[in-house]
Coordinates of all heavy atoms in Angstrom, one line a residue:
G22 N 157.6 131.9 -9.4 CA 158.2 132.8 -10.3 C 157.6 134.2 -10.3 O 156.6 134.4 -9.6
Y23 N 158.3 135.1 -10.9 CA 157.9 136.5 -10.9 C 157.0 136.8 -12.1 O 157.2 136.2 -13.1 CB 159.1 137.4 -10.9 CG 159.9 137.3 -9.6 CD1 161.0 136.6 -9.5 CD2 159.5 138.0 -8.5 CE1 161.7 136.5 -8.3 CE2 160.2 138.0 -7.3 CZ 161.3 137.2 -7.2 OH 162.0 137.1 -6.1
I24 N 156.1 137.7 -11.9 CA 155.3 138.2 -13.0 C 155.9 139.4 -13.6 O 156.3 140.4 -12.9 CB 153.9 138.5 -12.5 CG1 153.2 137.2 -11.9 CG2 153.0 139.1 -13.6 CD1 151.9 137.5 -11.2
E25 N 156.1 139.4 -14.9 CA 156.6 140.6 -15.6 C 155.5 141.5 -15.9 O 154.6 141.2 -16.6 CB 157.4 140.2 -16.9 CG 158.7 139.4 -16.6 CD 159.7 140.2 -15.9 OE1 159.8 141.4 -16.1 OE2 160.5 139.6 -15.1
V26 N 155.5 142.7 -15.4 CA 154.5 143.7 -15.6 C 155.1 145.0 -16.2 O 156.1 145.5 -15.7 CB 153.7 144.0 -14.3 CG1 152.7 145.1 -14.6 CG2 153.1 142.8 -13.7
D27 N 154.6 145.5 -17.2 CA 155.0 146.8 -17.8 C 154.3 147.8 -16.9 O 153.2 148.2 -17.2 CB 154.6 146.9 -19.2 CG 155.1 148.2 -19.9 OD1 155.7 149.0 -19.2 OD2 154.8 148.4 -21.1
N28 N 155.1 148.3 -16.0 CA 154.5 149.4 -15.1 C 154.1 150.6 -15.8 O 153.3 151.4 -15.3 CB 155.4 149.7 -13.9 CG 155.5 148.5 -13.0 OD1 154.6 147.9 -12.8 ND2 156.7 148.3 -12.4
D29 N 154.7 150.9 -17.0 CA 154.4 152.1 -17.7 C 153.2 152.0 -18.6 O 152.7 152.9 -19.2 CB 155.6 152.6 -18.5 CG 156.7 153.1 -17.7 OD1 156.4 153.6 -16.5 OD2 157.8 153.0 -18.1
A30 N 152.7 150.7 -18.8 CA 151.6 150.5 -19.8 C 150.4 151.4 -19.6 O 149.9 152.0 -20.5 CB 151.1 149.0 -19.8
P31 N 149.9 151.6 -18.4 CA 148.7 152.4 -18.2 C 149.1 153.9 -18.3 O 148.2 154.7 -18.3 CB 148.2 152.1 -16.8 CG 149.0 151.0 -16.3 CD 150.2 150.8 -17.2
R32 N 150.3 154.2 -18.4 CA 150.8 155.6 -18.4 C 151.2 156.1 -19.7 O 151.8 157.2 -19.8 CB 151.9 155.8 -17.4 CG 151.5 155.4 -16.0 CD 152.7 155.6 -15.0 NE 153.1 157.0 -15.0 CZ 154.1 157.4 -14.3 NH1 154.9 156.6 -13.7 NH2 154.4 158.7 -14.3
K33 N 151.0 155.3 -20.8 CA 151.5 155.7 -22.1 C 150.4 156.2 -23.0 O 149.3 155.6 -23.0 CB 152.3 154.6 -22.8 CG 153.6 154.3 -22.1 CD 154.3 153.2 -22.8 CE 155.6 152.9 -22.1 NZ 156.4 151.8 -22.7
S34 N 150.5 157.3 -23.7 CA 149.6 157.8 -24.6 C 149.7 157.1 -25.9 O 150.6 156.3 -26.1 CB 149.8 159.3 -24.8 OG 150.9 159.5 -25.6
Y35 N 148.9 157.3 -26.9 CA 148.9 156.7 -28.1 C 150.2 157.1 -28.8 O 150.6 156.4 -29.7 CB 147.7 157.0 -29.0 CG 147.7 158.5 -29.5 CD1 148.2 158.8 -30.7 CD2 147.1 159.5 -28.7 CE1 148.2 160.1 -31.2 CE2 147.1 160.8 -29.1 CZ 147.6 161.1 -30.4 OH 147.6 162.4 -30.8
K36 N 150.9 158.1 -28.4 CA 152.2 158.5 -29.0 C 153.4 157.9 -28.2 O 154.5 158.1 -28.6 CB 152.3 160.0 -29.0 CG 151.4 160.7 -30.0 CD 151.6 162.2 -29.9 CE 150.6 162.9 -30.8 NZ 150.8 164.3 -30.8
G37 N 153.0 157.2 -27.2 CA 154.1 156.6 -26.4 C 154.7 157.4 -25.3 O 155.6 157.0 -24.6
E38 N 154.3 158.6 -25.1 CA 154.8 159.5 -24.0 C 154.2 159.1 -22.7 O 153.1 158.6 -22.7 CB 154.7 160.9 -24.3 CG 153.2 161.4 -24.4 CD 152.9 162.2 -25.6 OE1 153.6 162.1 -26.5 OE2 151.8 162.8 -25.6
R39 N 154.9 159.3 -21.6 CA 154.4 159.0 -20.3 C 153.3 160.0 -19.9 O 153.5 161.2 -20.1 CB 155.5 159.0 -19.3 CG 156.4 157.9 -19.4 CD 157.6 158.0 -18.5 NE 157.2 157.8 -17.1 CZ 157.4 156.8 -16.4 NH1 158.1 155.8 -16.9 NH2 157.0 156.7 -15.1
L40 N 152.2 159.4 -19.3 CA 151.1 160.3 -18.9 C 151.2 160.3 -17.3 O 151.7 159.4 -16.7 CB 149.8 159.7 -19.4 CG 149.6 159.6 -20.8 CD1 148.3 158.8 -21.1 CD2 149.5 161.0 -21.4
P41 N 150.6 161.3 -16.7 CA 150.5 161.4 -15.3 C 149.7 160.2 -14.8 O 148.7 159.7 -15.4 CB 149.8 162.7 -15.0 CG 149.8 163.5 -16.3 CD 150.0 162.5 -17.4
M42 N 150.0 159.7 -13.6 CA 149.3 158.6 -13.0 C 148.9 159.0 -11.6 O 149.7 159.5 -10.8 CB 150.1 157.3 -13.0 CG 149.4 156.2 -12.3 SD 150.5 154.7 -12.2 CE 149.9 153.9 -13.7
K43 N 147.6 158.8 -11.3 CA 147.1 159.1 -9.9 C 147.5 157.9 -9.0 O 147.6 156.8 -9.5 CB 145.6 159.3 -9.9 CG 145.2 160.6 -10.7 CD 143.8 160.9 -10.4 CE 143.5 162.2 -11.2 NZ 142.2 162.8 -10.8
Y44 N 147.7 158.3 -7.7 CA 148.1 157.3 -6.8 C 147.1 156.1 -6.8 O 147.5 154.9 -6.6 CB 148.2 157.9 -5.4 CG 148.8 156.9 -4.4 CD1 150.1 156.5 -4.5 CD2 148.1 156.5 -3.3 CE1 150.6 155.6 -3.6 CE2 148.6 155.6 -2.4 CZ 149.9 155.2 -2.5 OH 150.4 154.3 -1.7
K45 N 145.8 156.4 -6.9 CA 144.8 155.3 -6.8 C 145.0 154.3 -7.9 O 144.8 153.1 -7.8 CB 143.4 155.9 -6.9 CG 143.0 156.5 -8.2 CD 141.6 157.0 -8.2 CE 141.2 157.7 -9.5 NZ 139.9 158.1 -9.5
D46 N 145.5 154.8 -9.1 CA 145.7 153.9 -10.3 C 146.9 153.0 -10.0 O 146.9 151.8 -10.3 CB 145.9 154.7 -11.5 CG 144.6 155.5 -11.9 OD1 143.5 155.0 -11.6 OD2 144.7 156.6 -12.4
W47 N 148.0 153.6 -9.5 CA 149.2 152.8 -9.1 C 148.9 151.8 -8.0 O 149.3 150.7 -8.1 CB 150.3 153.8 -8.7 CG 151.5 153.0 -8.3 CD1 152.5 152.6 -9.1 CD2 151.8 152.5 -7.0 NE1 153.5 151.9 -8.4 CE2 153.1 151.8 -7.1 CE3 151.2 152.5 -5.7 CZ2 153.7 151.2 -6.0 CZ3 151.8 151.9 -4.7 CH2 153.0 151.3 -4.8
L48 N 148.2 152.2 -7.0 CA 147.8 151.3 -5.9 C 147.0 150.1 -6.4 O 147.2 149.0 -6.0 CB 147.0 152.1 -4.8 CG 146.9 151.4 -3.5 CD1 148.3 151.1 -2.9 CD2 146.1 152.3 -2.6
D49 N 146.1 150.3 -7.4 CA 145.3 149.2 -7.9 C 146.3 148.2 -8.7 O 146.1 147.0 -8.6 CB 144.3 149.8 -8.9 CG 143.4 148.7 -9.4 OD1 142.7 148.0 -8.6 OD2 143.4 148.5 -10.7
I50 N 147.2 148.8 -9.4 CA 148.2 147.9 -10.1 C 149.0 147.1 -9.1 O 149.2 145.9 -9.3 CB 149.1 148.8 -11.0 CG1 148.3 149.3 -12.2 CG2 150.3 147.9 -11.5 CD1 149.0 150.4 -13.0
W51 N 149.5 147.8 -8.1 CA 150.2 147.1 -7.1 C 149.5 146.0 -6.4 O 150.0 144.9 -6.2 CB 150.7 148.1 -6.0 CG 151.4 147.6 -4.9 CD1 152.8 147.1 -4.9 CD2 151.0 147.4 -3.5 NE1 153.1 146.6 -3.7 CE2 152.0 146.8 -2.8 CE3 149.8 147.7 -2.9 CZ2 151.9 146.6 -1.4 CZ3 149.7 147.4 -1.5 CH2 150.7 146.8 -0.8
L52 N 148.2 146.3 -6.0 CA 147.4 145.2 -5.4 C 147.1 144.1 -6.3 O 147.2 142.9 -5.9 CB 146.1 145.9 -4.9 CG 146.2 146.7 -3.6 CD1 144.9 147.6 -3.4 CD2 146.5 145.9 -2.4
T53 N 146.8 144.4 -7.5 CA 146.3 143.4 -8.5 C 147.5 142.5 -9.0 O 147.4 141.3 -9.1 CB 145.6 144.0 -9.7 OG1 144.5 144.8 -9.2 CG2 145.1 143.0 -10.7
H54 N 148.6 143.2 -9.3 CA 149.7 142.5 -9.9 C 150.9 142.0 -9.0 O 151.6 141.2 -9.4 CB 150.3 143.3 -11.1 CG 149.3 143.5 -12.2 ND1 148.9 142.6 -13.1 CD2 148.6 144.6 -12.5 CE1 148.0 143.1 -13.9 NE2 147.8 144.3 -13.6
Y55 N 150.9 142.6 -7.8 CA 152.0 142.2 -6.9 C 151.5 141.5 -5.6 O 152.1 140.5 -5.2 CB 152.8 143.4 -6.5 CG 153.5 144.0 -7.7 CD1 153.0 145.0 -8.5 CD2 154.7 143.4 -8.1 CE1 153.7 145.5 -9.6 CE2 155.4 143.9 -9.2 CZ 154.9 144.9 -10.0 OH 155.5 145.4 -11.1
I56 N 150.4 142.0 -5.0 CA 149.9 141.4 -3.8 C 149.1 140.2 -4.0 O 149.3 139.2 -3.5 CB 149.2 142.5 -3.0 CG1 150.1 143.7 -2.6 CG2 148.6 141.9 -1.7 CD1 151.4 143.2 -1.9
K57 N 148.1 140.3 -4.9 CA 147.1 139.3 -5.1 C 147.8 138.0 -5.5 O 147.4 136.9 -5.0 CB 146.0 139.7 -6.1 CG 144.9 138.7 -6.3 CD 143.8 139.3 -7.1 CE 142.6 138.4 -7.1 NZ 141.5 138.9 -8.0
P58 N 148.7 138.0 -6.5 CA 149.3 136.7 -6.9 C 150.3 136.1 -5.9 O 150.6 134.9 -6.0 CB 150.1 137.1 -8.2 CG 149.7 138.4 -8.5 CD 149.2 139.1 -7.4
T59 N 150.8 136.9 -4.9 CA 151.8 136.4 -4.0 C 151.3 136.2 -2.6 O 152.1 135.7 -1.8 CB 153.0 137.3 -4.0 OG1 152.6 138.7 -3.5 CG2 153.6 137.5 -5.4
C60 N 150.1 136.6 -2.3 CA 149.6 136.5 -0.9 C 148.3 135.6 -0.8 O 147.7 135.4 -1.8 CB 149.3 137.9 -0.3 SG 150.7 139.0 -0.2
K61 N 148.0 135.2 0.4 CA 146.7 134.6 0.5 C 145.6 135.6 0.2 O 145.7 136.8 0.4 CB 146.6 134.1 2.0 CG 147.6 133.0 2.3 CD 147.4 132.5 3.8 CE 148.4 131.4 4.0 NZ 148.3 131.0 5.5
I62 N 144.4 135.0 -0.2 CA 143.3 135.8 -0.6 C 142.8 136.8 0.5 O 142.5 137.9 0.3 CB 142.2 135.1 -1.2 CG1 141.1 135.9 -1.9 CG2 141.5 134.2 -0.2 CD1 141.6 136.6 -3.1
R63 N 142.9 136.3 1.8 CA 142.5 137.1 2.9 C 143.4 138.3 3.1 O 143.0 139.4 3.4 CB 142.4 136.3 4.2 CG 141.4 135.2 4.2 CD 139.9 135.6 4.4 NE 139.8 136.1 5.8 CZ 138.9 137.1 6.1 NH1 138.1 137.6 5.3 NH2 138.9 137.4 7.4
T64 N 144.7 138.1 2.8 CA 145.7 139.2 3.0 C 145.4 140.2 1.9 O 145.3 141.4 2.2 CB 147.1 138.7 2.9 OG1 147.3 137.7 3.9 CG2 148.1 139.8 2.9
Y65 N 145.2 139.8 0.7 CA 144.9 140.7 -0.4 C 143.6 141.5 -0.1 O 143.6 142.7 -0.3 CB 144.7 139.9 -1.7 CG 144.0 140.7 -2.8 CD1 144.7 141.7 -3.4 CD2 142.7 140.4 -3.1 CE1 144.0 142.4 -4.5 CE2 142.0 141.1 -4.1 CZ 142.7 142.1 -4.8 OH 142.1 142.8 -5.7
E66 N 142.6 140.8 0.3 CA 141.3 141.5 0.7 C 141.5 142.5 1.8 O 140.9 143.6 1.7 CB 140.2 140.4 1.0 CG 139.8 139.6 -0.1 CD 138.9 138.4 0.3 OE1 138.7 138.1 1.5 OE2 138.3 137.8 -0.6
R67 N 142.3 142.1 2.8 CA 142.5 143.0 3.9 C 143.3 144.3 3.4 O 142.9 145.4 3.8 CB 143.3 142.3 5.0 CG 143.6 143.2 6.2 CD 144.0 142.3 7.4 NE 144.7 143.1 8.4 CZ 144.0 143.9 9.2 NH1 142.7 144.1 9.1 NH2 144.7 144.5 10.2
Y68 N 144.3 144.1 2.6 CA 145.1 145.2 2.0 C 144.2 146.1 1.2 O 144.2 147.4 1.4 CB 146.2 144.7 1.2 CG 147.4 144.2 1.9 CD1 147.4 143.9 3.2 CD2 148.7 144.1 1.2 CE1 148.6 143.4 3.9 CE2 149.8 143.7 1.9 CZ 149.7 143.3 3.2 OH 150.9 142.9 3.8
R69 N 143.3 145.5 0.4 CA 142.4 146.3 -0.4 C 141.5 147.1 0.4 O 141.3 148.3 0.2 CB 141.6 145.4 -1.4 CG 140.8 146.3 -2.3 CD 140.3 145.5 -3.5 NE 141.2 145.3 -4.5 CZ 141.8 146.2 -5.4 NH1 141.4 147.4 -5.3 NH2 142.6 145.8 -6.3
K70 N 140.9 146.5 1.5 CA 140.0 147.2 2.4 C 140.7 148.4 3.1 O 140.2 149.5 3.2 CB 139.4 146.2 3.3 CG 138.3 146.9 4.2 CD 137.2 147.4 3.4 CE 136.0 146.5 3.3 NZ 134.9 147.0 2.6
I71 N 141.9 148.1 3.6 CA 142.7 149.2 4.3 C 142.9 150.3 3.4 O 142.8 151.5 3.7 CB 144.0 148.6 4.8 CG1 143.7 147.6 6.0 CG2 144.9 149.7 5.2 CD1 144.8 146.8 6.5
T72 N 143.3 150.0 2.1 CA 143.6 151.1 1.2 C 142.4 151.9 0.8 O 142.4 153.1 0.8 CB 144.3 150.6 -0.1 OG1 143.4 149.7 -0.7 CG2 145.6 150.0 0.2
E73 N 141.2 151.2 0.7 CA 139.9 151.9 0.3 C 139.5 152.8 1.4 O 139.0 153.9 1.2 CB 138.9 150.9 0.0 CG 139.1 150.1 -1.3 CD 138.1 149.0 -1.5 OE1 137.2 148.7 -0.7 OE2 138.2 148.4 -2.6
I74 N 139.7 152.4 2.7 CA 139.1 153.1 3.8 C 140.1 154.2 4.3 O 139.7 155.3 4.6 CB 138.9 152.2 5.0 CG1 137.8 151.2 4.7 CG2 138.6 152.9 6.3 CD1 137.5 150.1 5.7
H75 N 141.4 153.9 4.3 CA 142.4 154.8 4.9 C 143.3 155.6 4.0 O 143.7 156.7 4.3 CB 143.3 154.1 5.9 CG 142.5 153.5 7.0 ND1 141.9 154.2 8.1 CD2 142.2 152.1 7.3 CE1 141.3 153.4 8.9 NE2 141.4 152.1 8.4
I76 N 143.6 155.0 2.9 CA 144.6 155.7 2.0 C 144.0 156.4 0.8 O 144.3 157.6 0.6 CB 145.6 154.6 1.5 CG1 146.4 154.0 2.7 CG2 146.6 155.2 0.5 CD1 147.3 152.9 2.4
L77 N 143.1 155.8 0.1 CA 142.5 156.4 -1.1 C 141.8 157.7 -0.8 O 141.9 158.7 -1.6 CB 141.6 155.4 -1.8 CG 142.3 154.3 -2.5 CD1 141.4 153.3 -3.2 CD2 143.4 154.8 -3.5
P78 N 141.1 157.8 0.3 CA 140.4 159.1 0.5 C 141.4 160.3 0.7 O 141.1 161.4 0.4 CB 139.6 158.9 1.8 CG 139.4 157.4 1.9 CD 140.6 156.8 1.3
L79 N 142.6 160.0 1.2 CA 143.6 161.0 1.4 C 144.6 161.2 0.3 O 145.0 162.3 0.1 CB 144.3 160.7 2.7 CG 143.5 160.6 4.0 CD1 144.3 160.0 5.1 CD2 142.9 161.9 4.4
L80 N 144.9 160.2 -0.4 CA 145.9 160.3 -1.4 C 145.5 159.8 -2.8 O 146.2 160.0 -3.8 CB 147.1 159.4 -1.0 CG 147.9 159.8 0.2 CD1 148.9 158.7 0.6 CD2 148.7 161.1 0.0
G81 N 144.4 159.2 -3.0 CA 144.0 158.6 -4.2 C 144.0 159.5 -5.4 O 144.3 159.1 -6.5
E82 N 143.6 160.8 -5.3 CA 143.5 161.6 -6.4 C 144.7 162.4 -6.8 O 144.8 163.2 -7.7 CB 142.3 162.6 -6.2 CG 140.9 162.0 -6.2 CD 140.6 161.2 -7.5 OE1 140.9 161.7 -8.6 OE2 140.0 160.1 -7.5
I83 N 145.8 162.2 -5.9 CA 147.0 162.9 -6.1 C 147.8 162.2 -7.2 O 147.9 161.0 -7.2 CB 147.8 163.0 -4.8 CG1 146.9 163.8 -3.8 CG2 149.1 163.7 -5.0 CD1 147.5 163.9 -2.4
E84 N 148.5 162.9 -8.1 CA 149.4 162.3 -9.0 C 150.6 161.8 -8.3 O 151.1 162.4 -7.4 CB 149.7 163.3 -10.1 CG 148.5 163.6 -11.0 CD 148.8 164.4 -12.2 OE1 150.0 164.5 -12.6 OE2 147.9 164.9 -12.9
I85 N 151.1 160.7 -8.8 CA 152.3 160.1 -8.2 C 153.5 161.1 -8.0 O 154.1 161.1 -7.0 CB 152.8 158.9 -9.0 CG1 151.8 157.8 -9.0 CG2 154.2 158.4 -8.6 CD1 151.8 157.0 -7.7
N86 N 153.7 161.8 -9.0 CA 154.9 162.8 -9.0 C 154.7 163.9 -8.0 O 155.6 164.6 -7.7 CB 155.1 163.4 -10.4 CG 155.7 162.3 -11.4 OD1 156.2 161.3 -10.9 ND2 155.4 162.5 -12.7
D87 N 153.4 164.1 -7.6 CA 153.1 165.2 -6.6 C 153.2 164.7 -5.2 O 153.0 165.5 -4.2 CB 151.8 165.8 -6.9 CG 151.7 166.5 -8.2 OD1 152.8 166.9 -8.7 OD2 150.6 166.7 -8.8
I88 N 153.4 163.5 -4.9 CA 153.5 163.0 -3.6 C 154.9 163.2 -3.0 O 155.8 162.6 -3.6 CB 153.1 161.5 -3.5 CG1 151.6 161.3 -3.9 CG2 153.3 160.9 -2.1 CD1 151.1 159.9 -3.9
T89 N 154.9 163.9 -2.0 CA 156.3 164.2 -1.4 C 156.3 163.7 0.1 O 155.3 163.3 0.6 CB 156.5 165.8 -1.3 OG1 155.4 166.4 -0.5 CG2 156.4 166.4 -2.8
A90 N 157.5 163.7 0.7 CA 157.7 163.3 2.0 C 156.8 164.2 2.9 O 156.2 163.7 3.9 CB 159.2 163.5 2.4
V91 N 156.7 165.5 2.6 CA 155.9 166.4 3.4 C 154.4 166.0 3.3 O 153.7 166.0 4.3 CB 156.1 167.9 3.0 CG1 155.1 168.8 3.6 CG2 157.5 168.3 3.2
K92 N 153.9 165.7 2.1 CA 152.5 165.3 1.9 C 152.2 164.1 2.7 O 151.2 163.9 3.4 CB 152.2 165.1 0.5 CG 150.8 164.7 0.2 CD 149.8 165.8 0.6 CE 148.4 165.4 0.4 NZ 147.5 166.3 1.0
L93 N 153.2 163.1 2.7 CA 153.0 161.8 3.4 C 152.9 162.1 4.9 O 152.2 161.4 5.6 CB 154.1 160.8 3.0 CG 154.0 160.2 1.6 CD1 155.2 159.4 1.3 CD2 152.7 159.5 1.4
Q94 N 153.8 162.9 5.4 CA 153.8 163.3 6.8 C 152.5 163.9 7.2 O 152.0 163.6 8.3 CB 155.0 164.1 7.2 CG 155.1 164.4 8.6 CD 155.3 163.1 9.4 OE1 156.2 162.3 9.2 NE2 154.4 162.9 10.4
Q95 N 152.0 164.8 6.4 CA 150.7 165.4 6.6 C 149.6 164.3 6.8 O 148.7 164.4 7.7 CB 150.3 166.4 5.6 CG 151.1 167.7 5.6 CD 150.9 168.5 4.4 OE1 150.4 168.1 3.3 NE2 151.3 169.8 4.5
V96 N 149.6 163.4 5.9 CA 148.6 162.3 5.9 C 148.8 161.5 7.1 O 147.8 161.1 7.8 CB 148.7 161.4 4.6 CG1 147.9 160.2 4.7 CG2 148.3 162.2 3.4
V97 N 150.0 161.0 7.5 CA 150.2 160.3 8.7 C 149.7 161.1 9.9 O 149.1 160.5 10.8 CB 151.7 159.9 8.8 CG1 152.0 159.3 10.2 CG2 152.1 158.9 7.7
S98 N 150.0 162.3 10.0 CA 149.6 163.1 11.1 C 148.1 163.2 11.3 O 147.6 163.2 12.4 CB 150.2 164.5 11.0 OG 151.6 164.5 11.0
T99 N 147.4 163.2 10.2 CA 145.9 163.3 10.3 C 145.4 161.9 10.7 O 144.2 161.9 11.2 CB 145.3 163.7 8.9 OG1 145.6 162.6 8.0 CG2 145.7 165.0 8.4
M100 N 146.1 160.9 10.5 CA 145.6 159.5 10.9 C 145.9 159.2 12.4 O 145.3 158.2 12.9 CB 146.3 158.5 10.0 CG 145.9 158.6 8.5 SD 146.8 157.5 7.4 CE 145.8 156.0 7.7
L101 N 146.8 159.9 13.0 CA 147.1 159.7 14.4 C 146.0 160.2 15.4 O 145.3 161.0 15.2 CB 148.4 160.3 14.8 CG 149.6 159.8 14.0 CD1 150.9 160.5 14.4 CD2 149.8 158.3 14.2

């Protein structure tokens, strides 16, 4: 079965408005609530390690709404 997750829960203020979310926070939610329950533990651990080493240092502190195709292309180019 599927897990129902309120993706906006970490992004709501006490008044209910949406708050900015950094990519590292979204990635943690994705790994914890989508990958971990549906994959083997080794797959989850590998994904987490890859994100910690390669993705978070480059994109972790950027807000989700600020990530553009151009920014992603710059990141991919630095990794080649």
Side-chain angles (χ1 to χ4, degrees):
Y23 292 98
I24 297 173
E25 293 294 326
V26 177
D27 181 1
N28 289 327
D29 289 334
R32 299 179 65 185
K33 291 182 180 175
S34 72
Y35 69 95
K36 293 181 180 179
E38 65 232 13
R39 291 174 65 106
L40 298 173
M42 177 182 267
K43 293 190 178 192
Y44 187 67
K45 68 179 181 180
D46 298 325
W47 178 87
L48 196 56
D49 184 60
I50 291 168
W51 177 72
L52 286 166
T53 303
H54 296 286
Y55 294 95
I56 300 302
K57 191 173 185 180
T59 61
C60 296
K61 293 180 180 178
I62 192 67
R63 297 281 294 151
T64 301
Y65 164 75
E66 290 170 352
R67 181 164 164 72
Y68 280 20
R69 182 163 289 285
K70 185 59 97 177
I71 288 169
T72 60
E73 288 173 358
I74 293 171
H75 299 289
I76 298 173
L77 290 179
L79 300 172
L80 294 171
E82 293 299 321
I83 299 174
E84 291 186 14
I85 293 285
N86 293 335
D87 294 338
I88 296 177
T89 63
V91 172
K92 180 62 180 172
L93 290 175
Q94 185 58 54
Q95 289 171 340
V96 169
V97 168
S98 296
T99 63
M100 296 173 83
L101 298 178

